[in-house]
Amino acid sequence: MDHTLRVIISGGGTGGHIFPAISIANELRAKCPEAEFLFVGAEGRMEMQRVPQAGYKIKGLPIEGFDRKKIWRNAGVLLKLWKSRRMARRIIRDFRPDVAIGVGGYASGPTLDEATRMGIPTLIQEQNSYAGVTNKLLAKRVDRICVAYDGMERFFPKEKIVFTGNPVRQNLLKEAPTQADALKSFGLVPAKRTILIVGGSLGARTINESVLGNLPLIRQQTKVQFIWQTGKYYSEEIQAELQRRGKPDNLCVNDFIADMAAAYAAADLVISRAGAGSISEFCLLGKPVILIPSPNVAEDHQTKNALALVQKDAALYIKDDEARELLMPLAINTVQDVERLAILGENIRELAKPNAASDIADEAIKLSNADESRR
């Protein structure tokens, strides 16, 4: 390439979109140290803080999702979409990118669509086993589609698909402590089996209620201990409930865990929702997991993510409406079954794609180089 690589990366809304986007940018920067980057996100969403914290510039669009339940509210959404398209076109014209990358989330739709209309080489990343609406709409026009699951040709043109896997937070392996040190950091002991319970940064009501409803069972465990991330949204309510009922000594409670590398290192078994980014982290770490898919996501894609692992005996799965009764007994039995943990860990590790961010970066560079040679 004869000039400095210029890259737009668009998307966000959740950590599951933002962490991969930043990982891709970091890999591109490692391969092309002089590259210039501009992120495009949605105003008021978490990418507007997380991306600058990672050292990248970002511009926000006034876009938001459609309200599928209250249709009459979407007149304002359509107006914001129109404004976002105009702003995206102006941003692309001013920045003059060599390639545009979409990682999912509200902002990626208008940004990548405008990029295709302007002749910019484009790449989208689909994290889930069931493609999102935005990516399905973009698929016919973008140049490359990076996926993390088999069988995605049922959604996308086969000739555009590249199987890369999902990028994950790059510090999970590099900064991971030993299990003994990780347990010590949470005030726990090495002699007991450890279950990590997470529901995302905001928390998951069903998972939290599954813990609260089983405090007597948790208290009875002499060989098992628990790390519980409640989520900041539910923290005050849960702390009040624990004060009323009494917190078991073998239960370490956190509203948010900043050092997930330590949390994963401490855990013999994880309980989690079935977001694509989280699953990719479990694969990379070879971490046995019980998945409780969220029922409140588009196309029930988390259930499809979970079942893709269950079919390969790489994870356990409980339906959301059965978790309050079944989750904690299953988790306690499983974490003490060393042979079962070993099988789950081995099978999920075989699904890992540790070079996902690097492979996606390579695809972006190829698109840019091909476009330059055409010019």
Side-chain angles (χ1 to χ4, degrees), residues 132-292:
V133 173
T134 298
N135 279 349
K136 283 191 282 189
L137 291 173
L138 290 170
K140 293 180 181 178
R141 304 183 65 170
V142 300
D143 299 292
R144 195 81 79 248
I145 304 168
C146 296
V147 302
Y149 289 89
D150 295 327
M152 298 305 287
E153 60 271 9
R154 68 191 191 275
F155 304 112
F156 304 132
K158 186 175 182 179
E159 66 277 8
K160 296 183 180 183
I161 294 175
V162 181
F163 187 85
T164 59
N166 285 327
V168 300
R169 285 176 278 195
Q170 293 161 318
N171 66 333
L172 290 178
L173 288 176
K174 295 177 182 176
E175 300 176 12
T178 64
Q179 185 174 35
D181 286 342
L183 288 168
K184 186 177 180 181
S185 72
F186 286 99
L188 299 174
V189 296
K192 295 183 179 182
R193 310 299 285 179
T194 304
I195 298 173
L196 171 64
I197 306 163
V198 291
S201 58
L202 295 179
R205 178 175 292 280
T206 297
I207 294 177
N208 287 340
E209 290 178 352
S210 300
V211 179
L212 285 175
N214 285 276
L215 289 178
L217 178 63
I218 290 170
R219 190 176 281 109
Q220 292 168 11
Q221 303 308 310
T222 59
K223 298 180 179 180
V224 182
Q225 57 195 352
F226 304 80
I227 302 170
W228 180 20
Q229 179 180 271
T230 64
K232 293 185 177 181
Y233 183 81
Y234 298 101
S235 177
E236 189 175 332
E237 167 190 340
I238 287 171
Q239 289 297 338
E241 196 64 23
L242 289 173
Q243 190 170 3
R244 186 176 72 84
R245 299 192 200 184
K247 183 183 81 65
D249 292 338
N250 59 340
L251 181 63
C252 173
V253 183
N254 305 264
D255 62 347
F256 176 74
I257 299 173
D259 188 355
M260 283 305 299
Y264 286 145
D268 298 293
L269 175 70
V270 181
I271 292 170
S272 173
R273 289 300 198 190
S278 296
I279 286 175
S280 295
E281 292 179 351
F282 305 144
C283 293
L284 181 67
L285 298 169
K287 194 61 62 174
V289 61
I290 301 175
L291 299 170
I292 305 92

Side-chain angles (χ1 to χ4, degrees), residues 95-116:
F95 185 73
R96 295 175 290 107
D98 297 295
V99 63
I101 301 171
V103 295
Y106 299 140
S108 67
T111 306
L112 270 291
D113 189 47
E114 288 299 321
T116 63

